[in-house]
Amino acid sequence: SAVISQKPSRDICQRGTSLTIQCQVDSQVTMMFWYRQQPGQSLTLIATANQGSEATYESGFVIDKFPISRPNLTFSTLTVSNMSPEDSSIYLCSVEWPGLSGNTIYFGEGSWLTVV
Amino acid sequence: AQSVAQPEDQVNVAEGNPLTVKCTYSVSGNPYLFWYVQYPNRGLQFLLKYITGDNLVKGSYGFEAEFNKSQTSFHLKKPSALVSDSALYFCAGYNFNKFYFGSGTKLNVKP
């Protein structure tokens, strides 16, 4: 399985500021994903980030608000721009890990953002 | 539309009793099905998955899940619950390069 590290693990942010979350994987992976989990809710896919191409955003998420970088096969960043209290969530990085019995998605520990 | 449903927001069980957390899916083709657990203040941890073959899948921490194609279900089970199993459990389906997550079920195991 993959080991996924996210930074920061937690932060309290001021309204109107931006924060960049980093995701580091211990092995090269093709597909990386960013999810949001609002308090008490399930996971919502923000975007898929493949190395060498622009991120693909899901409905309701736009690049200006959530710019993503994927400079290599082990690293990605998600920026939450111009934050408002509604952006208070857990942001989760995940990777699709190939296996003999099919692919599995593994998650980082999450970045818990509170916007005040 | 593709979806995964967890009909129970919360499941309460006494320690030592068997537990079941329900999941049904509406994912076309032959989907992969997963269970994840989220402990308080943690990310999601992979528990087990079904791809094909034996309908009973064994996973981490003594959990298992039974795939039932006719009922389109993939319920998570454990013969004897522990207080430390208390957490949020997510069922997920995967098909055509996309994951579909259920809404989550909070499991409370009481001593």
Side-chain angles (χ1 to χ4, degrees):
Chain A
S1 64
V3 176
I4 305 167
S5 304
Q6 276 187 243
K7 285 194 289 189
S9 57
R10 250 174 226 282
D11 209 339
I12 299 174
C13 308
Q14 295 295 318
R15 185 192 304 246
T17 63
S18 299
L19 181 79
T20 296
I21 303 166
Q22 298 180 4
C23 178
Q24 180 76 53
V25 189
D26 67 340
S27 301
Q28 294 183 341
V29 292
T30 302
M31 298 185 76
M32 294 180 75
F33 308 88
W34 287 99
Y35 283 85
R36 182 173 73 181
Q37 185 182 19
Q38 293 181 304
Q41 302 294 315
S42 185
L43 282 74
T44 301
L45 181 63
I46 297 172
T48 301
N50 292 335
Q51 194 268 336
S53 62
E54 294 288 323
T56 302
Y57 289 84
E58 296 298 305
S59 176
F61 297 96
V62 295
I63 188 171
D64 290 346
K65 176 68 175 177
F66 297 101
I68 288 171
S69 78
R70 182 79 200 274
N72 58 52
L73 290 172
T74 63
F75 188 77
S76 179
T77 68
L78 168 76
T79 299
V80 186
S81 303
N82 188 25
M83 286 186 283
S84 66
E86 292 72 33
D87 294 319
S88 297
S89 289
I90 308 167
Y91 292 86
L92 293 152
C93 171
S94 67
V95 304
E96 190 166 331
W97 188 254
L100 293 175
S101 59
N103 294 354
T104 299
I105 190 167
Y106 291 100
F107 289 86
E109 288 293 320
S111 298
W112 303 61
L113 302 188
T114 302
V115 184
V116 297
Chain B
Q2 318 276 345
S3 64
V4 170
Q6 293 179 242
E8 302 157 315
D9 290 337
Q10 187 166 297
V11 169
N12 298 313
V13 64
E15 187 173 33
N17 284 359
L19 69 87
T20 299
V21 182
K22 295 179 180 177
C23 171
T24 59
Y25 66 91
S26 176
V27 181
S28 59
N30 296 311
Y32 296 177
L33 297 166
F34 299 79
W35 276 100
Y36 291 86
V37 59
Q38 186 176 34
Y39 296 103
N41 302 315
R42 303 291 301 274
L44 271 72
Q45 294 182 31
F46 169 74
L47 272 180
L48 52 81
K49 70 179 179 185
Y50 171 83
I51 304 297
T52 187
D54 194 346
N55 290 341
L56 186 64
V57 180
K58 294 188 183 298
S60 306
Y61 311 122
F63 283 93
E64 57 190 26
E66 187 169 11
F67 173 70
N68 187 318
K69 188 170 184 178
S70 62
Q71 297 184 4
T72 62
S73 67
F74 189 56
H75 301 332
L76 181 70
K77 300 181 180 184
K78 188 172 182 180
S80 179
L82 299 172
V83 172
S84 57
D85 292 329
S86 298
L88 190 57
Y89 290 80
F90 288 98
C91 182
Y94 175 82
N95 206 7
F96 303 119
N97 293 323
K98 196 157 186 176
F99 275 84
Y100 304 90
F101 281 90
S103 55
T105 299
K106 185 177 181 183
L107 174 66
N108 295 314
V109 182
K110 299 183 179 180

